[in-house]
Amino acid sequence: MASAISFGPANSGLQGGIFNGLVNTQFHHHAPPERPETPLNPSIVIPFSRDTDFVERGILDQIHQKCAVLGSRTALVGLGGVGKSQLAIEYAYRTRDRLPETWVFWVHASNAARFEQSFRDIANCVKISGRKNPQADIFQLVRDWLRDDKKGKWVLILDNVDDASFLVEARRTGQDGQTSGIESGNTRSLISYLPQCPHGSILITTRTKIAALKVVEPRDIITVDPMSREDGLALFEKKLGWHDDADDVEELAAVLEYMPLAIVQAAAYVSQRVPRYSVGRYLQDFRKSDSKKTSLLNCDGEQLRRDQEAKNSIIITWQISFEHIREIRPTAADLLSLMSFFDRQGIPEALLRSRAEQSQHNQEKKNDDTRPDIDVEYSDDDEDRGSRSSVNDGFENDLLALRNYSFISMSMDGTTFEMHGLVQLATREWLKANKQQEQWKHAFLKNLDAELPTGDFENWESCQALFPHAQSAASQKPKESDSLTDWASVLYKAAWYAWRMGKGVEAENMSVHAMKVRKKILGDEHSDTLDGMGMVGLAYNLNGRWDAAEKLFVQVMETSKTKLGADHPSTLTSMANLASTYRNQGRWDDAEKLFVQVMETSKTKLGVDHPSTLMSMANLASTYRNQGRWDDAKKLEMQVMETTKKKLGANHPSTLISMANLASTYRNQGRWDAAEELFVQVMETTKKKLGADHPHTLTSIANLAATFLDQGRWDAAEELFVQVMEMSKTKLGVDHPSTLMSMANLASTYRNQGRWDAAEELEVHVMETRKKKLGADHPSTLSSMANLASTYRNQGRWDAAEELLVQVMETSKTKLGVDHPDTLSSMANLAFTWKGNGKETEAVRLMEECVRFGKRVLGLDHPHYISSCIALDAWKAEQEDVVLSIQSAEDG
């Protein structure tokens, strides 16, 4: 290497400052000649120590591969706190390990002053001649040194290039290339001092693609995402330094979205407070509220390997980026504000555009820092601001800005968007601090309410896509009255869909919240309030809370009668709902009385062939079926079917339902061929009309399968039940009530085939799922327990069957009442089990109780009562035969 000239002893260590303002270029500084300095061997110039806890990430291989190309320029782009600088630090040390003859330089590139200081550090490290001259252009000196291939290979790492404007802005230089403030001379940008040469490579870290593209080609950008699950857990465990509860660690890492800085923060917070604190406690605190989450994530734990200007709080890190976006593109910040209230995944474009396209006014409000107008207005400087194309261009540019900052990503088809939940939290907290949270929450609720349809089948696809956002809305109750009205509307419609989907817990929670808000704002007698109360009642019915449902439906019915009149359609609907609740309670006479009243009033008010009238007739027929009054049920169902065919057509869904109801009655009567003929017709028409996976189609297939079961055609029944089960899993979900019912039906088929183990496996699954979803005392759960007990009985496992059936009977007595039909069935099942287990006396005594209650509750003609009487007579006859045999033996 060439020898270097340094200052004399008297001026040793003298450094020139940074001159701001005018400099006289005719001034000559007569400094003594520099003393020659011994050139150094290649070394690493980096202000951070190596992280011994570094977790190997696959992306490091990509960095090595791209940076290995001669003269390469590569950018690591990702959210703040995602680990870009840590990857760069590890890459620097690995480069030094693998290539000891390579210089590695670290440049702080967050602003011009730090960029310049880093260049001075490099000049001092490699002892560039002339660097101490106050007139020297330090950038030119370093650039010349880097371009000299005799100095060896080098890697230049530019960290935190989040605002690249200072790199590309022109700077004045004097005639000799020195930095100058005078008007004469050439203009050069700092980026021009980054040489492109085959013996050197440049790696930058930045939060935005905009900055990256100032330095590198698009193909040379590496996107840094949060860690994988495995890497995140490994980092957490290393930073903790001891083994905490593995499940808690895994859960917290997932909650923190495997974001490295958040994981390091959490680990440091816990470590500092051990043994009076733990990961489980952190997780518990984190879930309390958004405020608590923010408080935890704002803890600025000292990090040895982060730039002194970088914030160690991941929340503040993101909020700084958010504020930068607000400065350069306010509408993009507005869009992010709106998106922060949605569920983090599947944010539909339609919900983001709907209000934006209505905003064609008040441009000056858009630039007001307080932003009272939450409508987003998109504009284009070159086009008509009110045009659709301008709005579209503005929207697309906003999306691009947010994607460039890695704040959002989008689906493959580009129609839905995704955000990190912690980014949403940071945005909402910023809005809260700046008193804008309620305004944007109102916009979110307004948009969602406008797009979310009711829970009817034809809307299920839309409801399914929007339901997660309704769940997000449910956890963000607004304060203002207008917003509360929209909030209640969203929850009401979401509860409707949840009820249809068999999601009892969600349906109840959402509908109760909606009902309470409507009562407070609209009053107890408002139609929306009554609708809300009705939805709560339906949710209670779904969850087996029939007494609570009854209380609500009675209140709705009485209010509707007073407010709207006894013959108003809404009043009749409330009466029908109450009657259905009576039916669920086994109060068939009360149900019949109400259904008859609804039917007769509907006939008078709406006409004999009105759909509502026909529905009321079908409901009454269903009650007759429950009572075992097959002929009465058949008569009504025939009338409904014929009228519906004539009125709506043979292929109308309502007609098909009426046919299925009639077929069910035929099946109960033992007229299996007639039932099969109708069920086949319903199934084929439903498939063609509604589709193979429509819930009504699946029900029709299950009905036909049940008929095959009655006929003893086990294999045909099994084939259909398997088909229904698999399609229900796909269409409705594994834990949907209809799916569980199909599994129970298939298990029943296995039982009839003598395949006890297969039946048991399915029945245990159904029982456990219902316990978890509906509760241990829900009627459906009790039914699944009874089915499992039946399988145990068939296997000869009397004790196991008895244990389950005793539990079912006692719970039914408590939950449903001693005289409920389901309670009577559980008593009969237990009696049969005791009989099979040799407990003759207990069996007879319990069956006598069944007959006594059955006579009063079911009636003398009900099939269940008759079958109980037959069994009791047979058992008593057996006992008498035994007694006679004993007496004969003794006499003999």
Side-chain angles (χ1 to χ4, degrees):
M1 292 185 180
S3 61
I5 300 175
S6 63
F7 282 34
N11 296 313
S12 178
L14 179 65
Q15 289 189 348
I18 300 174
F19 289 88
N20 297 312
L22 297 178
V23 176
N24 187 348
T25 56
Q26 298 304 312
F27 172 78
H28 297 284
H29 177 69
H30 299 284
E34 295 183 8
R35 185 175 61 187
E37 296 177 280
T38 304
L40 298 176
N41 291 324
S43 64
I44 182 170
V45 183
I46 181 170
F48 308 111
S49 62
R50 196 168 191 173
D51 187 1
T52 56
D53 293 332
F54 182 82
V55 173
E56 185 73 33
R57 299 173 69 175
I59 198 170
L60 206 56
D61 293 334
Q62 293 183 51
I63 299 173
H64 280 296
Q65 185 178 0
K66 282 193 174 291
C67 291
V69 177
L70 297 177
S72 65
R73 292 188 176 192
T74 306
L76 302 181
V77 179
L79 275 172
V82 84
K84 302 180 297 297
S85 295
Q86 304 309 309
L87 286 165
I89 292 170
E90 182 63 20
Y91 168 73
Y93 279 102
R94 291 194 184 189
T95 299
R96 179 60 181 164
D97 292 343
R98 292 187 300 107
L99 304 168
E101 295 301 315
T102 299
W103 292 90
V104 181
F105 303 117
W106 190 276
V107 176
H108 296 291
S110 56
N111 56 54
R114 299 202 70 199
F115 188 86
E116 179 174 349
Q117 184 56 51
S118 294
F119 264 55
R120 292 190 182 280
D121 292 341
I122 294 173
N124 287 328
C125 174
V126 301
K127 302 186 185 305
I128 297 178
S129 175
R131 69 186 184 280
K132 297 178 181 178
N133 185 343
Q135 293 293 305
D137 186 341
I138 199 68
F139 301 111
Q140 187 66 46
L141 289 177
V142 172
R143 179 179 184 275
D144 291 342
W145 188 95
L146 292 173
R147 283 173 56 84
D148 187 353
D149 58 4
K150 294 178 182 179
K151 301 298 191 291
K153 294 182 178 179
W154 51 264
V155 173
L156 192 64
I157 299 173
L158 275 60
D159 190 34
N160 289 335
V161 189
D162 297 329
D163 181 5
S165 59
F166 77 90
L167 287 175
V168 297
E169 287 173 356
R171 292 159 37 89
R172 290 286 179 182
T173 61
Q175 299 296 333
D176 55 359
Q178 296 173 348
T179 303
S180 169
I182 62 174
E183 295 300 322
S184 62
N186 302 317
T187 59
R188 294 190 64 176
S189 61
L190 288 179
I191 199 170
S192 67
Y193 293 102
L194 300 176
Q196 188 96 39
C197 48
H199 59 279
S201 63
I202 297 175
L203 175 66
I204 77 166
T205 72
T206 177
R207 298 176 192 176
T208 166
K209 285 184 180 179
I210 299 172
L213 292 173
K214 304 289 186 185
V215 184
V216 307
E217 297 290 340
R219 64 176 176 273
D220 294 321
I221 291 177
I222 298 176
T223 300
V224 182
D225 294 316
M227 287 179 142
S228 65
R229 172 184 169 277
E230 293 75 15
D231 293 344
L233 291 177
L235 178 64
F236 215 142
E237 290 167 359
K238 284 188 175 185
K239 291 300 180 183
L240 278 175
W242 81 94
H243 292 290
D244 206 313
D245 184 276
D247 290 339
D248 287 341
V249 171
E250 181 166 357
E251 198 167 349
L252 182 54
V255 166
L256 297 176
E257 298 178 309
Y258 308 109
M259 203 71 69
L261 180 57
I263 289 174
V264 171
Q265 273 185 261
Y269 187 92
V270 174
S271 297
Q272 292 165 7
R273 290 160 176 78
V274 168
R276 293 173 59 82
Y277 207 75
S278 66
V279 172
R281 175 78 179 279
Y282 187 102
L283 188 60
Q284 183 180 354
D285 288 344
F286 192 85
R287 286 177 167 156
K288 286 181 179 177
S289 65
D290 277 3
S291 297
K292 187 61 179 177
K293 289 176 187 174
T294 306
S295 174
L296 290 170
L297 293 174
N298 267 339
C299 285
D300 195 352
E302 293 298 324
Q303 305 297 327
L304 295 177
R305 277 162 292 277
R306 277 182 70 78
D307 184 11
Q308 63 184 10
E309 288 189 355
K311 300 298 182 182
N312 292 325
S313 161
I314 197 163
I315 292 290
I316 296 175
T317 296
W318 291 335
Q319 288 180 345
I320 290 171
S321 295
F322 178 68
E323 288 178 339
H324 183 64
I325 291 177
R326 282 180 62 84
E327 291 176 5
I328 63 172
R329 190 165 183 86
T331 53
D334 288 347
L335 183 58
L336 191 70
S337 300
L338 179 62
M339 295 175 76
S340 69
F341 292 93
F342 288 86
D343 181 76
R344 60 174 295 267
Q345 295 177 311
I347 303 173
E349 180 179 346
L351 279 181
L352 303 178
R353 283 184 176 275
S354 56
R355 282 177 63 79
E357 293 180 352
Q358 298 169 16
S359 306
Q360 303 296 331
H361 64 284
N362 294 338
Q363 173 66 25
E364 53 280 353
K365 288 185 179 181
K366 179 172 67 98
N367 297 319
D368 185 353
D369 288 340
T370 59
R371 300 200 176 278
D373 181 9
I374 45 75
D375 288 347
V376 182
E377 180 174 342
Y378 294 117
S379 62
D380 187 291
D381 291 337
D382 300 321
E383 301 291 341
D384 176 12
R385 297 189 178 213
S387 69
R388 182 174 297 273
S389 62
S390 299
V391 171
N392 186 64
D393 289 345
F395 180 75
E396 294 300 331
N397 289 333
D398 287 343
L399 288 177
L400 183 60
L402 297 179
R403 289 174 61 203
N404 283 337
Y405 271 84
S406 302
F407 272 139
I408 67 170
S409 58
M410 63 182 180
S411 60
M412 292 297 293
D413 61 5
T415 59
T416 61
F417 306 94
E418 182 175 331
M419 286 180 72
H420 290 289
L422 295 182
V423 173
Q424 290 181 304
L425 173 66
T427 307
R428 291 197 302 271
E429 287 301 305
W430 188 96
L431 293 172
K432 182 178 179 181
N434 288 272
K435 295 181 173 52
Q436 296 184 34
Q437 186 179 38
E438 289 302 312
Q439 295 169 2
W440 286 106
K441 187 183 293 184
H442 178 71
F444 158 66
L445 292 170
K446 203 77 176 173
N447 288 6
L448 183 57
D449 185 38
E451 292 292 325
L452 182 65
T454 60
D456 288 324
F457 173 76
E458 58 269 19
N459 300 325
W460 280 8
E461 187 175 350
S462 296
C463 286
Q464 183 180 19
L466 296 178
F467 188 69
H469 304 298
Q471 289 178 300
S472 179
S475 65
Q476 302 180 76
K477 185 177 180 180
K479 297 177 182 178
E480 298 174 359
S481 155
D482 288 347
S483 298
L484 280 170
T485 302
D486 293 328
W487 186 69
S489 178
V490 167
L491 265 56
Y492 170 76
K493 290 183 284 188
W496 188 335
Y497 171 71
W499 170 64
R500 288 292 191 188
M501 287 291 101
K503 299 178 184 289
V505 175
E506 293 92 334
E508 181 174 331
N509 287 340
M510 289 178 166
S511 60
V512 167
H513 282 306
M515 177 186 70
K516 287 180 178 179
V517 167
R518 286 177 168 178
K519 278 186 174 183
K520 185 176 180 179
I521 294 178
L522 305 175
D524 290 348
E525 297 183 347
H526 193 280
S527 58
D528 287 348
T529 304
L530 296 177
D531 287 343
M533 293 169 67
M535 182 54 64
V536 175
L538 293 173
Y540 284 162
N541 263 341
L542 177 62
N543 292 331
R545 298 180 57 190
W546 295 323
D547 291 344
E550 177 190 352
K551 183 179 178 181
L552 265 181
F553 284 137
V554 166
Q555 187 178 346
V556 173
M557 181 183 70
E558 295 301 334
T559 305
S560 296
K561 282 182 178 179
T562 304
K563 195 76 176 168
L564 305 173
D567 58 356
H568 191 278
S570 295
T571 305
L572 298 177
T573 298
S574 66
M575 293 169 66
N577 286 335
L578 178 59
S580 294
T581 303
Y582 288 155
R583 192 170 60 200
N584 288 329
Q585 293 170 314
R587 296 164 58 183
W588 293 326
D589 291 342
D590 291 334
E592 178 187 352
K593 181 180 177 182
L594 264 183
F595 277 137
V596 167
Q597 188 178 345
V598 171
M599 181 183 70
E600 295 302 334
T601 306
S602 296
K603 284 180 178 179
T604 303
K605 183 74 176 179
L606 305 173
V608 179
D609 57 358
H610 190 277
S612 296
T613 304
L614 297 175
M615 178 64 72
S616 67
M617 295 168 67
N619 285 332
L620 179 59
S622 178
T623 304
Y624 288 157
R625 262 204 317 275
N626 288 327
Q627 294 170 312
R629 296 165 58 183
W630 313 127
D631 290 340
D632 291 335
K634 174 190 169 185
K635 181 180 178 181
L636 267 181
E637 287 163 347
M638 286 286 291
Q639 185 179 348
V640 171
M641 183 183 71
E642 295 302 331
T643 306
T644 307
K645 278 184 179 178
K646 183 179 179 181
K647 187 76 176 176
L648 303 175
N651 296 333
H652 192 277
S654 297
T655 305
L656 298 175
I657 291 173
S658 67
M659 293 168 67
N661 288 336
L662 178 58
S664 295
T665 300
Y666 286 156
R667 201 177 122 220
N668 288 322
Q669 290 177 311
R671 298 173 58 186
W672 296 322
D673 292 342
E676 178 185 349
E677 182 181 350
L678 269 181
F679 278 138
V680 168
Q681 188 177 344
V682 171
M683 181 184 70
E684 295 300 334
T685 307
T686 307
K687 278 184 180 179
K688 184 177 180 181
K689 189 77 176 175
L690 303 177
D693 60 352
H694 189 284
H696 290 175
T697 305
L698 298 179
T699 299
S700 68
I701 298 173
N703 285 333
L704 179 59
T707 304
F708 289 159
L709 207 61
D710 292 333
Q711 295 170 317
R713 296 163 61 183
W714 316 129
D715 292 342
E718 177 188 353
E719 182 181 350
L720 284 182
F721 278 138
V722 167
Q723 183 181 343
V724 172
M725 181 182 71
E726 295 301 333
M727 294 180 76
S728 296
K729 285 180 179 179
T730 303
K731 183 71 176 180
L732 304 174
V734 179
D735 56 359
H736 189 277
S738 296
T739 305
L740 296 175
M741 180 64 73
S742 68
M743 295 169 74
N745 287 333
L746 180 59
S748 178
T749 305
Y750 289 155
R751 212 168 42 234
N752 286 316
Q753 293 172 314
R755 297 165 60 183
W756 314 127
D757 292 342
E760 179 185 351
E761 182 181 353
L762 271 179
E763 286 165 345
V764 167
H765 176 75
V766 171
M767 180 184 71
E768 295 299 334
T769 305
R770 283 176 171 168
K771 280 184 179 179
K772 184 178 178 181
K773 284 289 282 189
L774 305 173
D777 59 353
H778 191 279
S780 296
T781 306
L782 299 176
S783 175
S784 63
M785 293 168 68
N787 288 336
L788 179 58
S790 180
T791 298
Y792 287 157
R793 197 169 60 208
N794 288 326
Q795 292 171 314
R797 296 165 61 184
W798 303 110
D799 291 342
E802 178 181 344
E803 181 182 354
L804 270 180
L805 289 173
V806 167
Q807 187 178 345
V808 171
M809 182 183 71
E810 295 301 334
T811 306
S812 296
K813 284 181 178 179
T814 303
K815 180 77 175 179
L816 307 175
V818 180
D819 56 355
H820 191 281
D822 289 352
T823 305
L824 297 180
S825 293
S826 69
M827 293 166 65
N829 286 333
L830 180 57
F832 276 106
T833 301
W834 279 344
K835 180 72 169 61
N837 205 15
K839 297 181 177 181
E840 304 284 344
T841 304
E842 292 92 334
V844 169
R845 190 180 303 121
L846 187 57
M847 190 58 80
E848 285 176 340
E849 197 175 343
C850 283
V851 168
R852 187 170 65 254
F853 281 115
K855 181 178 182 180
R856 177 168 58 84
V857 174
L858 304 176
L860 298 176
D861 297 329
H862 196 282
H864 292 174
Y865 171 75
I866 294 172
S867 65
S868 296
C869 289
I870 293 172
L872 180 60
D873 290 342
W875 294 352
K876 285 183 175 180
E878 288 178 11
Q879 285 183 325
E880 291 175 0
D881 290 343
V882 170
V883 171
L884 290 174
S885 296
I886 293 174
Q887 289 177 348
S888 297
E890 290 176 349
D891 293 342

